[in-house]
Each structure stands twice: as structure tokens, then as C-alpha cells.
Amino acid sequence: MHDLKFIRDYPDAFDAGLTRRGLPKYAAEILALDEKRRSLQTHIQEKQALRNKLSGAIGAARKAGDTADADRLTAEVSALKTEMPQLEAQEAEIAQQLDHVLSSLPNLPAPAPQTPEGANESYNVELAKVGLPRWFGFPVKSHDALGEALGLMDFSGAAKLSGARFVVLKGALARLERALGQFMLDIHTAEFGFSETSVPLLVRDAAMMGTGQLPKFREDQFAVDGGYWLIPTAEVPLTNLYADAVHDAAQFPARHCALSACFRAEAGAAGRDTAGMIRQHQFFKVELVTVCTPEQAEAEYARVLNAAETILQRLDLPYRSVALCAGDIGFSASRTVDLEVWLPSQNTYREISSVSHFDTFQARRMKARYKGKDDKHPQMLHTINGSGLAVGRTLVAVMENYQNDDGSISIPEVLQPYTGFDLIRV
């Protein structure tokens, strides 16, 4: 959500931010609605004051025995009682229109170079490459070919149960998936100060609104009877823990991590990554969320990014970091760095984590505020999150990068205490 005061004070800067995203200017429309709403509010207040004044005058007229004047004043009050609900309904309608516009517009991008200029992903800026892709000396196989040959990855069985974009993992691959999630949690909690948190997988509309999934991305989510939504990421419940409250500044930064199932309809991804585990309706992910004051935000952003990169480094998986341009960052983000892992079968890097800073955008939608001992008024919090990592895609990357010519898969040394074995083979 956007700050109306900022738009009133800096309409050109607001429009410039939207233009960087490839969107039309909205400041004039927003300010016109805002002016109309405020005018109606003033008019309603004036009518209420007049009604109160007339009501007092009615009593005075009756006390003085002036029945005619009392009747005249009573008729005026009766007319106001009819007029005021109409004005209030108009004000509510304008407020609803204003709220719809504000809630449908994305966050403004951070200045370059944090968020580079550009209309689409071709303008994203590579920041670094870490690790060298392995030379195999034999034809590499995709993760799904490896998994099915091992008899441990079942797409047809999952399709019979649930349809496309699901998978059943068995035996050693199921254990490897579990090991990856637990390994990630141990690193994030022990080395980076995140608090492991178990969250609900079902949330209500307000939570999805708070982090920006609603109203714009309704079709990308799974709705459930009873007014619930399946979470697309643990970011939603973790961040909304701070909604609708004024918190003591001393409790920040607050760092949370959660391993959860995630659910995405992938409505906008028809025909993309239909084979394998890259784009699933259901998957596991370790999410990192930090809620903090503005002064803490830069250091906390670096911490989240470092935590996510550390997982890739410990697993010895080649990857690169990429700063997303203004035309490619997500709806709620002002700044995003993607981490992309090397997949040998595709001969390219694929996203495995997005680390985003939202400034006050989510906090304003959630009404999440803080107040220090010297603050006269509550201030908006900042929110940051990142995948640390997407477990399914990490499983894919381990399978492909650690495959052997006989179709077996070696287990990275750091994972062996979690799996209890060092090799997966038929």
C-alpha cells in the first residue's frame, strides 16, 4: 500500500516510480479521488455540526414556547438526517475506489543501482558467479530422468492422485528432501540468528492482502472453502504476525525462518516447465523473514542474502546472483536479488531464491508499526524476505550436479549426517 501523504507531496516522484515499472501515471487519479473524499468528509462534518447546533436550538425554542420555530428547526434536522446517510454512502464509495487503486498498484522500485533500470528480465544485472559448473565426461540426465530410472520419483502416480504438476518422492529421495530442509533450518538458526517458526498453512483474506498476494494475484492462489487460502509461501503467515499492532522498537530486528509446504496455482505459467519438479503446485520451501526498523534494514537485507547464499556454498552448487531491474521485480518488492543455481541438464542457471526488500509497503498494508521510547508517533516497519532455499529446486540441483555415469547420485558431504547414506543407486 502506498502512503497518500507521499503522493500528495511528491506526485511526480510517485509517477516516475510507476513509469520505471512500465506502468501509466496514477497520481492525478489518486489525488482527484483523495480530494473528492476529503471534500465529502468536510461536508459531512459541517452537516453534523449544523445538526448538533439545530438540535440544541430546538430545545431552546420549545423552552421559550416558540412552537413554530421549534417545528421549523425540527424539519431542518429531519432533512439533515435524510441527507447525511447519502453523503456518507458517497464518501464510503469514493474511499473504496481509492483503496482499490492504491492496493492494486505495486511498490515503487528502489533507486538504481539497487534496482537497475529496465523493462524486463533482459535488463537484469548479474552481480557475481560462484563456483564452476562441473565437467561430467558423460551425457548428463535431467533430474526427472534420474529419479524415474531409480524408481524413486513418480509423476504418473502423482497425476493419478492430483493431476499435473505434482510428484511422489519415495525412499532415498524422500529422505534427501527432508534432509535438505532440516540442514537449511540448522544453518539459519545456528549461524544467522533466525528463530524457527511453525506456521499455519491456511490463512484468511487479510493476511494475503497484507503481503500483496491479494487482490491482484487472486488467480495464482488456491482458495479453500470457509474463506481460507493455502499459503503460497511461509512469508504470508510469518510477516503477518506483526499486523494490526504497534510494537516496541526494542524487539527488532525480528528474524524468523520456517519450513513449510507451499501451494501455487501457477495460473500464469501455462506451458512452462511442465516436465519435472521445477514448477509444481505443491512444494516445500524454507522461508526467511525479517521485520525491522528502517535503520536496521540494509544490514538485515545483507544477512538474509548471505544466509541463502551460504546454503548453496555449503552444498557446493554453482550459482549466480542477479539484481532484478525495475520492470522485473515482484509486485510488493522495491529491490530484489535472485540467486540462480546451475542445472546441468538445461545448461543454464535457474532461480532458487529471491531475496526482496519491501520497505514499508507490506507494513502499511498490514498496519504493522513500531514506537521507540523517544518517538512521538508510531512508525512503519520494514519487511524483508528470501527463500533459504526452495527445497524442491535444491533437490533438483543436488541430483543433477551430483549425478554419476551409472545413474547413481552422490550425497554432498554436509548432508550425509542428515541422510545416513552417501549414495543413491538402484
Side-chain angles (χ1 to χ4, degrees):
M1 192 71 78
H2 293 283
D3 182 4
L4 262 176
K5 186 178 184 305
F6 175 85
I7 301 173
R8 292 183 199 123
D9 294 343
Y10 307 102
D12 291 342
F14 181 76
D15 279 342
L18 294 180
T19 299
R20 290 181 66 203
R21 279 184 171 266
L23 296 175
K25 298 176 179 180
Y26 273 89
E29 178 183 343
I30 290 168
L31 293 177
L33 287 169
D34 180 44
E35 179 59 32
K36 191 171 183 180
R37 183 189 64 165
R38 291 201 289 171
S39 177
L40 282 166
Q41 288 174 335
T42 300
H43 197 33
I44 290 168
Q45 290 168 0
E46 290 171 347
K47 294 291 185 182
Q48 182 63 56
L50 177 59
R51 177 179 166 182
N52 293 340
K53 180 180 178 181
L54 293 174
S55 295
I58 290 171
R62 284 178 177 162
K63 187 175 182 181
D66 191 343
T67 303
D69 194 38
D71 289 345
R72 179 184 62 80
L73 293 169
T74 299
E76 288 188 43
V77 169
S78 179
L80 285 171
K81 285 182 178 180
T82 301
E83 183 182 6
M84 285 182 64
Q86 297 173 352
L87 292 172
E88 289 167 350
Q90 290 178 37
E91 191 273 334
E93 183 179 352
I94 296 299
Q96 186 177 27
Q97 292 176 22
L98 182 59
D99 184 68
H100 175 73
V101 174
L102 289 173
S103 64
S104 298
L105 290 175
N107 199 357
L108 302 183
Q114 290 182 339
T115 300
E117 302 294 343
N120 53 53
E121 63 182 13
S122 64
Y123 293 89
N124 294 343
V125 177
E126 181 179 280
L127 301 175
K129 281 182 178 175
V130 180
L132 294 174
R134 172 187 168 191
W135 184 81
F136 287 90
F138 58 86
V140 297
K141 296 179 180 177
S142 64
H143 67 280
D144 47 316
L146 286 164
E148 290 183 319
L150 289 166
L152 303 177
M153 188 176 283
D154 185 359
F155 292 99
S156 60
K160 184 163 54 177
L161 296 170
S162 308
R165 297 190 189 270
F166 290 92
V167 66
V168 173
L169 297 180
K170 302 175 183 179
L173 282 185
R175 190 177 182 96
L176 178 57
E177 180 184 51
R178 176 161 57 92
L180 283 164
Q182 295 189 354
F183 168 71
M184 294 173 191
L185 289 175
D186 285 351
I187 296 295
H188 298 319
T189 56
E191 299 186 26
F192 291 96
F194 288 88
S195 175
E196 185 174 350
T197 310
S198 180
V199 296
L201 301 182
L202 294 171
V203 295
R204 295 195 182 276
D205 287 7
M208 297 285 275
M209 282 285 298
T211 45
Q213 280 76 25
L214 294 180
K216 188 174 179 63
F217 302 104
R218 182 177 297 269
E219 291 187 0
D220 292 330
Q221 318 304 328
F222 281 113
V224 181
D225 288 347
Y228 291 102
W229 299 86
L230 287 168
I231 63 169
T233 163
E235 168 201 349
V236 177
L238 288 174
T239 310
N240 276 279
L241 289 172
Y242 297 88
D244 298 311
V246 177
H247 305 273
D248 185 349
Q251 76 181 86
F252 299 105
R255 307 180 187 112
H256 297 274
C257 64
L259 169 62
S260 76
C262 304
F263 305 88
R264 296 185 185 176
E266 298 287 359
R272 296 176 58 193
D273 298 310
T274 53
M277 288 182 61
I278 294 296
R279 198 174 297 276
Q280 297 270 285
H281 287 312
Q282 175 185 315
F283 55 94
F284 286 99
K285 181 157 66 77
V286 172
E287 191 73 4
L288 305 172
V289 166
T290 296
V291 180
C292 62
T293 67
E295 296 77 16
Q296 298 164 339
E298 190 62 29
E300 290 303 313
Y301 186 81
R303 177 185 290 266
V304 174
L305 186 58
N306 187 18
E309 289 194 68
T310 294
I311 301 300
L312 290 165
Q313 292 165 9
R314 298 285 173 84
L315 293 172
D316 197 20
L317 293 171
Y319 71 96
R320 69 173 186 166
S321 56
V322 178
L324 301 193
C325 71
D328 197 35
I329 54 174
F331 177 83
S332 298
S334 67
R335 173 187 181 187
T336 297
V337 171
D338 272 4
L339 301 179
E340 299 178 351
V341 69
W342 178 257
L343 294 187
S345 71
Q346 299 184 18
N347 197 39
T348 192
Y349 293 93
R350 295 298 302 268
E351 178 199 335
I352 198 166
S353 174
S354 285
V355 179
S356 297
H357 184 192
F358 305 101
D359 294 318
T360 61
F361 187 81
Q362 290 181 329
R364 198 173 301 281
R365 294 171 76 100
M366 296 186 300
K367 300 179 178 63
R369 296 169 292 168
Y370 73 97
K371 189 175 182 183
K373 61 180 181 179
D374 297 325
D375 292 330
K376 291 184 179 179
H377 305 287
Q379 308 294 319
M380 288 292 170
L381 288 158
H382 278 220
T383 58
I384 298 162
N385 77 40
S387 306
L389 304 165
V391 176
R393 291 195 178 189
T394 309
L395 175 71
V396 167
V398 168
M399 291 176 67
E400 293 200 3
N401 283 279
Y402 282 85
Q403 64 179 290
N404 302 307
D405 58 0
D406 63 356
S408 64
I409 301 166
S410 298
I411 303 299
E413 188 174 345
V414 292
L415 288 179
Q416 292 173 20
Y418 295 87
T419 60
F421 50 80
D422 60 6
L423 188 70
I424 299 175
R425 58 184 168 192
V426 178

